């Protein structure tokens, strides 16, 4: 029986796509931020501010004998590794107390009541919580969602744990298992390993910084390690590196574009990439602003549980036990969810329910211990509300490309869903020539993260997702600036304080090593210069750092070098160089000919 066509999702973007803010090149110079005065840059020459290629320091070129890639997911995590000498990528498929060989392990922690000391993780944690001695213990799961600030606020974690504590606890035991299993510690020193950790593209800079802090707290890296020993790579970018290996198989050539739709347990992330084939091989560049949302497969689980609880609400006495609910949901997660095609009714075998010898109740569709859920119910109440969110995200990405996209690759655990694939083809198959699921799509992110360590120069360009800038003083404009923003500088010029000095704008393509430089003067010597970093999610340039949608996301602290004979308040000229082309923002300053690297301290 062919089901009725599903209700089309409502396309939320009826107006033509708004072109992103275009920043002039080179960027207009800023006079100062609050503590600094104008400095006229030279008109020509190597020191002219603006965009220029960045020469990668020698330490950045360091290679490590082992690449260890980790895809720390909302519901499951995985790990792949590679040796630089052969470039082959292998995934880990053996985990403690697993019942079958599978390259993923549950992302969950088990704690004693009121304790911050983790006692189990992964499969042993899930197994323990079903046993009577552990009924009062705390099983922590899905806590990755706490790093999605857009879906907050989130309730505090139990036992006084912070999300960084929970991630660090898990990563420490996860890493110890893999190291012991593969014998890395016997053949190599710990510092021989480079880590590539995938993160959602939709995460804020603060969330990424928390992930780095968790890896540090877990003992994977130390404060003395160079920052690139731990590479953070966006999940759709990692998947793109995996799919890049399949370009020949899918006949994707020079100048063609493909979309990655990484649909995982908690989040769905999307970016469109363009392929370039040159004398040194194939490279990729982002051509859209990445987007994402918390609409992964766990939200199918929540909707299925709500449907089942509604069905069994009449069983007030002798109802399902907590263990019964766990068994029912496990059946849905492993047997129903991946295979549902939108056509066939689903039949779920019930576990034994204490006090109920006869498991037949025609009112709720239960007969001889088998519960029937029609395909229509599954579509309407469970799948379509979540799948429609994914379709909206895909539509938004295609809109940015003006529907110039050769392929859509569905990856991740939810990306393997038969029903999701069917709906995506139905909605976009007439506009996108190829829509498919690559081989082993559930491992695309972790294997691609390993490729990121082996081939760090494959991605050549990224696209900014929002405005980034600093606080500055600029020339006061009577018809535009508020009177309370007016100040007079040391030279008697009227200035507007708190102006948002734009470094990058949403939709702006940025080379991975591209340096954006501006010059400033400070009179704070010998005190270090504190440069706050601001971000804005608006599509129009903000005028002030306290304008709507502008938030302070961190601080760069720039130490000033000793100058013989200089007195407090001595005039100091410096360049602030910002790099936005990597997954993490970094900066450096040149003061009196001395280059000082500085990492942003993100605010929570």
């Amino acid at each position: 029986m062919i089901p009725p066509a599903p209700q089309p999702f409502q396309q939320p973007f009826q107006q033509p796509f708004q072109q992103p803010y275009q920043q002039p090149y080179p960027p207009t110079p800023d006079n100062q931020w609050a503590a600094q005065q104008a400095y006229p840059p030279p008109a020509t020459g190597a020191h002219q501010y603006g965009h220029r290629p960045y020469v990668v320091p020698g330490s950045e070129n360091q290679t490590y004998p082992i690449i260890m890639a980790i895809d720390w997911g909302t519901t499951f995590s995985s790990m792949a590794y590679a040796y630089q000498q052969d470039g082959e990528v292998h995934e880990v498929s053996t985990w403690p107390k697993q019942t079958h060989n599978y390259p993923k392990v549950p992302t969950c922690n088990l704690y004693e009541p009121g304790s911050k000391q983790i006692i189990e993780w992964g499969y042993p944690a899930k197994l323990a919580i079903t046993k009577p001695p552990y009924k009062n213990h705390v099983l922590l799961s899905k806590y990755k969602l706490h790093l999605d600030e857009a879906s907050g606020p989130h309730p505090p974690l139990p036992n006084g744990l912070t999300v960084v504590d929970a991630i660090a606890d898990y990563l420490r035991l996860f890493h110890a298992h893999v190291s012991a299993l593969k014998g890395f510690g016997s053949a190599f020193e710990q510092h021989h390993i480079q880590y590539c950790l995938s993160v959602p593209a939709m995460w804020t800079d603060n969330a990424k910084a928390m992930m780095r802090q968790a890896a540090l707290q877990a003992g994977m890296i130390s404060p003395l390690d160079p920052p690139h020993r731990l590479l953070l790579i966006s999940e759709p970018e990692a998947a793109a590196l995996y799919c890049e290996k399949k370009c020949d198989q899918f006949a994707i050539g020079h100048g063609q574009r493909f979309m990655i739709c990484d649909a995982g347990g908690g989040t769905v992330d999307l970016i469109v990439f363009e392929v370039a084939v040159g004398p040194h091989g194939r490279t990729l560049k982002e051509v859209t602003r990445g987007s994402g949302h918390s609409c992964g497969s766990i939200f199918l689980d929540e909707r299925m549980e709500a449907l089942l609880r509604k069905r069994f609400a009449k069983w007030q006495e002798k109802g399902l036990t907590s263990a019964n609910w766990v068994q029912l949901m496990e059946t849905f997660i492993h047997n129903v969810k991946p295979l549902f095609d939108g056509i066939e009714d689903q039949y779920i075998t019930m576990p034994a329910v204490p006090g109920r010898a006869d498991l037949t109740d025609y009112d709720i569709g239960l007969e001889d211990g088998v519960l029937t859920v029609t395909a229509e119910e599954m579509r309407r109440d469970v799948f379509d509300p979540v799948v429609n969110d994914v379709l909206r995200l895909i539509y938004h990405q295609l809109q940015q490309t003006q529907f110039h996209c050769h392929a859509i690759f569905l990856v991740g655990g939810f990306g393997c869903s038969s029903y999701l694939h069917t709906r995506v083809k139905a909605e976009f198959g007439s506009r996108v020539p190829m829509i498919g699921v690559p081989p082993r799509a559930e491992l695309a992110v972790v294997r691609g993260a390993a490729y990121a360590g082996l081939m760090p120069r494959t991605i050549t360009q990224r696209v900014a997702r929002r405005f980034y800038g600093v606080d500055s003083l600029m020339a006061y404009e009577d018809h535009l600036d508020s009177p309370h923003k007016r100040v007079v500088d040391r030279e008697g010029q009227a200035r507007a304080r708190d102006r948002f000095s734009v470094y990058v704008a949403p939709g702006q393509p940025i080379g991975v090593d591209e340096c954006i430089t501006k010059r400033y003067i400070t009179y704070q010597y010998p005190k270090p210069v504190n440069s706050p970093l601001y971000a804005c999610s608006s599509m129009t340039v903000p005028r002030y750092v306290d304008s709507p949608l502008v938030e302070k996301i961190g601080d760069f602290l720039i130490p000033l070098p000793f100058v013989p004979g200089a007195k407090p308040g001595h005039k100091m000229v410096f360049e602030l160089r910002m790099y936005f082309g990597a997954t993490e923002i970094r900066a450096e300053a040149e003061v009196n000919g001395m280059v000082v690297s500085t990492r942003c301290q993100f605010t929570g």
Side-chain angles (χ1 to χ4, degrees):
M1 174 180 175
I2 299 176
Q7 291 296 316
F9 71 98
Q10 298 298 310
Q11 295 186 356
F13 306 100
Q14 297 300 326
Q15 298 179 354
F17 176 68
Q18 183 180 7
Q19 291 298 316
Y21 164 80
Q22 298 296 318
Q23 176 170 293
Y25 290 81
T28 304
D30 297 321
N31 292 322
Q32 56 184 18
W33 60 63
Q36 292 128 234
Q37 288 207 22
Y39 183 82
T44 60
H47 294 290
Q48 185 177 8
Y49 57 83
H51 294 238
R52 65 182 182 185
Y54 171 63
V55 179
V56 181
S59 61
E60 293 275 344
N61 290 326
Q62 177 183 351
T63 58
Y64 294 81
I66 302 174
I67 305 297
M68 185 181 287
I70 298 173
D71 177 20
W72 179 73
T74 305
T75 52
F76 285 88
S77 296
S78 54
M79 184 268 177
Y81 63 95
Y83 296 100
Q84 283 282 0
Q85 63 185 12
D86 62 21
E88 292 292 325
V89 175
H90 314 268
E91 65 269 0
V92 174
S93 299
T94 304
W95 303 102
K97 295 188 179 180
Q98 67 185 151
T99 56
H100 57 285
N101 212 35
Y102 183 59
K104 290 197 173 188
V105 59
T107 307
C108 55
N109 307 16
L110 186 67
Y111 298 89
E112 291 182 348
S115 172
K116 293 185 178 182
Q117 187 69 35
I118 186 170
I119 58 173
E120 286 291 1
W121 67 286
Y123 289 108
K126 290 192 72 173
L127 183 62
I129 201 66
T130 63
K131 299 177 179 178
Y134 297 91
K135 65 180 181 180
N136 295 321
H137 283 54
V138 175
L139 182 69
L140 200 59
S141 63
K142 304 176 187 176
Y143 52 93
K144 182 177 180 178
L145 296 177
H146 283 242
L147 291 176
D148 176 16
E149 297 173 11
S151 67
H154 300 282
L157 296 180
N159 294 7
L161 290 160
T162 67
V163 67
V164 171
D165 291 337
I167 299 169
D169 286 345
Y170 185 89
L171 289 180
R172 184 174 60 254
L173 299 181
F174 178 98
H175 180 265
H177 167 76
V178 171
S179 296
L181 181 70
K182 295 301 174 183
F184 292 142
S186 59
F188 297 93
E189 298 291 337
Q190 170 69 12
H191 64 270
H192 290 150
I193 301 174
Q194 182 182 34
Y195 298 96
C196 298
L197 191 55
S198 63
V199 295
M202 56 182 275
W203 270 7
T204 64
D205 300 289
N206 181 56
K208 296 171 191 173
M210 292 171 73
M211 203 69 207
R212 179 172 288 276
Q213 177 59 35
L216 185 68
Q217 197 168 308
M220 293 164 53
I221 57 173
S222 81
L224 300 179
D225 287 332
H228 66 277
R229 184 161 177 249
L230 171 62
L231 294 179
L232 296 185
I233 179 170
S234 76
E235 290 169 354
E237 185 176 300
L241 291 174
Y242 175 76
C243 292
E244 182 269 334
K245 294 285 190 181
K246 313 292 181 185
C247 279
D248 292 335
Q249 176 182 339
F250 293 111
I252 299 176
H254 180 77
Q256 292 186 314
R257 296 175 173 182
F258 65 87
M259 182 193 301
I260 293 295
C261 176
D262 174 27
T267 58
V268 177
D269 274 318
L270 306 93
I271 302 177
V272 177
F273 295 85
E274 185 173 302
V275 176
V277 180
H280 302 294
R282 195 159 37 217
T283 58
L284 303 175
K285 64 178 183 180
E286 288 185 10
V287 292
T288 60
R289 292 174 63 212
S291 57
H293 187 58
S294 290
C295 54
S297 65
I298 62 168
F299 298 97
L300 298 177
D301 304 347
E302 290 179 359
R303 299 189 72 86
M304 184 65 186
E305 183 173 351
L307 184 152
L308 292 175
R309 288 192 181 277
K310 184 177 179 181
R311 285 273 190 103
F312 287 101
K314 62 176 290 189
W315 289 17
Q316 295 294 332
E317 296 181 5
K318 299 181 181 179
L320 274 66
T321 65
S322 58
N324 290 152
W325 282 111
V326 169
Q327 291 170 293
L328 270 180
M329 290 310 301
E330 288 290 307
T331 299
F332 170 76
I333 290 168
H334 296 295
N335 301 337
V336 176
K337 184 168 64 172
L339 302 177
F340 178 67
D341 58 5
I343 299 174
E344 295 186 1
D345 294 343
Q346 300 300 303
Y347 303 96
I348 301 173
T349 301
M350 291 287 295
V353 180
R356 285 187 175 269
D358 180 18
L359 288 180
T360 295
D361 187 333
Y362 293 109
D363 291 340
I364 64 172
L366 180 65
E367 182 177 3
D368 294 332
V370 177
L371 182 71
T372 300
V373 183
T374 67
E376 181 185 0
E377 283 181 290
M378 292 292 289
R379 291 194 307 269
R380 183 190 65 231
D381 297 336
V382 180
F383 277 82
D384 281 348
V386 179
V387 168
N388 285 345
D389 283 342
V390 179
L391 298 180
R392 291 186 186 98
L393 291 171
I394 293 174
Y395 179 81
H396 183 204
Q397 286 291 306
L398 290 174
Q399 198 177 35
Q400 289 188 61
T401 70
Q402 298 180 342
F403 289 85
H404 173 48
C405 185
H406 181 76
I408 298 174
F409 291 119
L410 301 172
V411 301
F414 186 20
C416 298
S417 161
S418 174
Y419 185 65
L420 176 62
H421 184 217
T422 299
R423 288 292 311 276
V424 173
K425 288 194 74 170
E427 294 289 347
F428 304 110
S430 62
R431 294 186 173 189
V432 180
M434 198 203 71
I435 297 171
V437 180
R440 308 185 75 191
E442 74 280 8
L443 297 176
V445 169
V446 72
R447 292 183 67 87
Y451 289 134
L454 294 169
M455 307 177 301
R457 315 302 294 177
T458 303
I459 304 290
T460 61
Q461 172 187 289
R462 295 179 175 89
V463 176
R465 288 158 177 75
R466 52 184 180 166
F467 285 101
Y468 288 97
V470 297
D471 182 2
S472 67
L473 285 178
M474 296 186 188
Y476 185 82
E477 299 177 71
D478 291 320
H479 60 294
L480 292 176
D481 290 310
S482 304
H484 73 279
K485 297 290 187 182
R486 188 179 187 277
V487 296
V488 177
D489 67 13
R490 294 187 181 212
E491 297 178 2
Q493 300 295 315
R495 306 289 184 188
R497 63 181 175 85
D498 300 331
R499 285 293 304 277
F500 190 104
S501 169
V502 176
Y503 267 78
V504 294
Q508 179 179 323
I510 311 165
V512 291
D513 294 325
E514 188 172 343
C515 171
I516 304 175
T517 304
K518 296 191 180 187
R519 281 193 163 194
Y520 301 96
I521 291 176
T522 182
Y523 291 89
Q524 293 183 199
Y525 183 83
K527 296 179 181 178
V529 177
N530 181 51
S531 171
L533 182 65
Y534 295 87
C536 178
S537 55
S538 169
M539 285 300 292
T540 57
V541 59
R543 190 159 186 85
Y544 304 109
V545 297
D546 55 3
S547 295
L549 301 179
V550 177
E551 58 175 331
K552 177 185 172 184
I553 62 172
D555 295 277
F556 287 104
L557 192 65
I558 303 167
L560 299 179
F562 173 72
V563 178
K567 296 180 180 180
H570 177 75
K571 174 182 174 181
M572 298 283 286
V573 179
F574 68 94
E575 287 184 345
L576 182 59
R577 305 170 184 167
M578 306 279 275
Y579 303 89
F580 295 92
T583 305
E584 294 179 281
I585 299 170
R586 61 187 178 89
E588 64 185 17
E590 184 173 330
V591 189
N592 275 21
M594 179 182 296
V595 177
V596 180
S597 293
T598 176
R599 184 170 291 274
C600 188
Q601 299 298 315
F602 291 99
T603 55

